Amino acid sequence: MLKKHVLLVIVSLLTLAILTTACSDDDPVTPPPDSDILLTLHLGEYFLEAFSVEGIVFASDQDGNLLDMATWNGPTTVVLKNTTVHPDTISFTMVQYNDWELSLATELGVPAGTVKTFNGYRHSPMSGSADVAFINAPDCEAYTLASNWGALRGPGPPPASRTFDIFGDSTNIYVRIDPKDSGPLGGWLRSLRPGDTDTFDFDAPDVIAPLVGIPVQIPPGGNRLSFNFHGSVITESSRSIIGFDWQDYSDVIPESVMLYGPEFDTSNLTTWFYQWFNGSPDTYYHQKTAGPVPPAFTHLEGDLAITSTSPDNLAFTTTSDWDRFTASWTRAHELYGHWWVEGPSTVQTFALPQIPEYLADLFPNYPVEGFELRNLEIIQDVSENMVRGQGKYYGPHGVAGPDPMELKRWDPWGSQ
């Protein structure tokens, strides 16, 4: 059955979701094997997360031993070196922190001497707000109000008025209602600027129109299904996400679902599908498509088994055809500790790297052994625009399953 609820996507989560689009480009120039250089990172202006004072990066060998470390707090080039150890491959870990979160992200199996560039998308500062009145709304089951940096969804007609925070010069407002006696309707308020006052009149000509419905076939079975459908607009270093549709099913999984959205440039559409099967641990499948909506959600075939969940010796086996994996670890204390790991298909056993003394002094309550495995997922790069994954989830068990935003909370490599 479809669960109806109010969903408020706060700016901080959107900031995290947008950071998942950070890009990484490998430089083909590789130094000689005996070079002292382990890694060169070109870090863009907006890669440091909002509210973070500094970033930390350190390189480790295959056993997790520290090789070099550096800090940064703005656009820069970081070069990590070791004069005595010259491994063929290394891992490197990026660390950022603020008053409420400690985030670590490790990439395994990186050839020594690699050069990478990371550029985050700018989260423009809040510049003010605009007020919108909603009048003559018909009787409806639900509404959605989505701006460039957040969305509000609830039952019944929209509120009589709403104040929208604006980040940057302006924001667009996408308005959707789900009438009781017809298909979903939608319309836009565009280029609202700080201090603006506007009215959205549902009775005015050409203000709202039927949304485009796109059917997608769903694999049978499971205990929960959810999807997210959104469009994005990228200008220079800024990316705005507009949520069009998201639904959540439990108990009874439909054979197909209908995604609804406005006329939009299909090259800027993204759809996420998740399907969970209860177990010990839970098994889940996901599919992400950039571009036109696919006709079907298809699971990644094969079996996945995790034989050790220890941070000192994680191990898994699989019969799937896959390209890379991600794993997520958490440590709850004063801050929300989160450790993201990604590696190639050549790695199926690994240990979390040793934490440098500099970081351990800053956060003594976050040792490696204090982190617990939240999920591990193998990923198949089906094409340039589609990935499929199969994962195991060790979080709170139940029909509701994990939150996709939680699984993808901080992914600086743009891997999914």
Side-chain angles (χ1 to χ4, degrees), residues 54-76:
E54 69 171 355
I56 303 168
V57 57
F58 59 92
S60 310
D61 65 17
Q62 294 185 59
D63 297 321
N65 300 306
L66 180 66
L67 298 175
D68 196 15
M69 189 209 79
T71 63
W72 93 94
N73 59 10
T76 189

Side-chain angles (χ1 to χ4, degrees), residues 299-310:
H299 289 173
L300 174 60
E301 297 181 352
D303 296 319
L304 171 66
I306 300 177
T307 56
S308 172
T309 62
S310 169

Side-chain angles (χ1 to χ4, degrees), residues 153-236:
R153 186 185 188 192
S161 62
R162 175 75 180 177
T163 298
F164 294 90
D165 293 334
I166 297 176
F167 297 84
D169 294 334
S170 63
T171 188
N172 298 319
I173 307 296
Y174 170 67
V175 180
R176 167 179 165 167
I177 58 171
D178 292 60
K180 294 181 178 180
D181 56 356
S182 68
L185 305 172
W188 293 87
L189 280 170
R190 300 187 186 274
S191 300
L192 283 177
R193 298 183 176 277
D196 281 356
T197 299
D198 209 335
T199 298
F200 192 95
D201 185 353
F202 286 88
D203 279 349
D206 302 323
V207 168
I208 58 173
L211 298 180
V212 178
I214 308 171
V216 180
Q217 296 298 310
I218 303 299
N223 302 100
R224 181 190 170 197
L225 170 74
S226 66
F227 69 79
N228 182 288
F229 178 41
H230 65 258
S232 62
V233 177
I234 300 175
T235 57
E236 297 180 355

Side-chain angles (χ1 to χ4, degrees), residues 80-408:
L80 299 181
K81 299 180 179 181
N82 192 297
T83 58
T84 59
V85 180
H86 305 137
D88 293 330
T89 61
I90 63 168
S91 71
F92 73 96
T93 302
M94 308 288 287
V95 185
Q96 299 191 41
Y97 60 90
N98 50 42
D99 291 339
W100 59 87
E101 185 171 41
L102 170 64
S103 295
L104 302 94
T106 297
E107 185 173 348
L108 303 171
V110 178
T114 291
V115 180
K116 286 180 175 285
T117 298
F118 291 105
N119 290 304
Y121 284 106
R122 180 180 183 179
H123 187 312
S124 301
M126 182 175 171
S127 56
S129 60
D131 295 320
V132 178
F134 298 93
I135 62 175
N136 297 319
D139 191 17
C140 58
E141 294 183 345
Y143 71 89
T144 299
L145 305 176
S147 63
N148 286 6
W149 292 102
L152 178 69
R153 186 185 188 192
S161 62
R162 175 75 180 177
T163 298
F164 294 90
D165 293 334
I166 297 176
F167 297 84
D169 294 334
S170 63
T171 188
N172 298 319
I173 307 296
Y174 170 67
V175 180
R176 167 179 165 167
I177 58 171
D178 292 60
K180 294 181 178 180
D181 56 356
S182 68
L185 305 172
W188 293 87
L189 280 170
R190 300 187 186 274
S191 300
L192 283 177
R193 298 183 176 277
D196 281 356
T197 299
D198 209 335
T199 298
F200 192 95
D201 185 353
F202 286 88
D203 279 349
D206 302 323
V207 168
I208 58 173
L211 298 180
V212 178
I214 308 171
V216 180
Q217 296 298 310
I218 303 299
N223 302 100
R224 181 190 170 197
L225 170 74
S226 66
F227 69 79
N228 182 288
F229 178 41
H230 65 258
S232 62
V233 177
I234 300 175
T235 57
E236 297 180 355
S237 59
S238 178
R239 188 179 84 145
S240 300
I241 296 175
I242 303 292
F244 295 143
D245 200 356
W246 52 92
Q247 296 183 32
D248 193 2
Y249 298 83
S250 61
D251 299 330
V252 178
I253 306 302
E255 295 181 356
S256 66
V257 296
M258 190 74 73
L259 281 64
Y260 288 98
E263 295 286 350
F264 204 80
D265 181 359
T266 57
S267 65
N268 289 325
L269 295 177
T270 302
T271 54
W272 294 81
F273 282 93
Y274 278 85
Q275 193 167 3
W276 290 268
F277 294 75
N278 288 350
S280 298
D282 292 349
T283 296
Y284 68 90
Y285 299 87
H286 105 266
Q287 177 177 292
K288 176 190 175 185
T289 304
V293 176
F297 170 24
T298 305
H299 289 173
L300 174 60
E301 297 181 352
D303 296 319
L304 171 66
I306 300 177
T307 56
S308 172
T309 62
S310 169
D312 295 327
N313 182 34
L314 186 138
F316 64 95
T317 61
T318 178
T319 60
S320 297
D321 180 13
W322 62 293
D323 298 294
R324 53 199 169 89
F325 77 90
T326 63
S328 178
W329 307 72
T330 59
R331 164 66 168 146
H333 205 64
E334 293 94 346
L335 305 179
Y336 177 85
H338 180 267
W339 199 325
W340 178 276
V341 177
E342 177 169 344
S345 58
T346 54
V347 177
Q348 290 186 230
T349 302
F350 68 91
L352 290 180
Q354 298 174 9
I355 293 178
E357 183 177 352
Y358 177 83
L359 183 60
D361 289 342
L362 288 174
F363 302 101
N365 294 320
Y366 296 83
V368 170
E369 59 269 20
F371 283 83
E372 296 182 352
L373 183 64
R374 186 70 176 271
N375 76 289
L376 183 141
E377 179 177 343
I378 55 172
I379 300 163
Q380 180 188 64
D381 296 313
V382 181
S383 67
E384 182 180 356
N385 296 320
M386 178 183 289
V387 299
R388 293 193 184 101
Q390 178 188 165
K392 301 294 184 181
Y393 176 73
Y394 290 85
H397 178 78
V399 173
D403 180 354
M405 283 298 294
E406 190 68 20
L407 296 180
K408 312 301 174 190

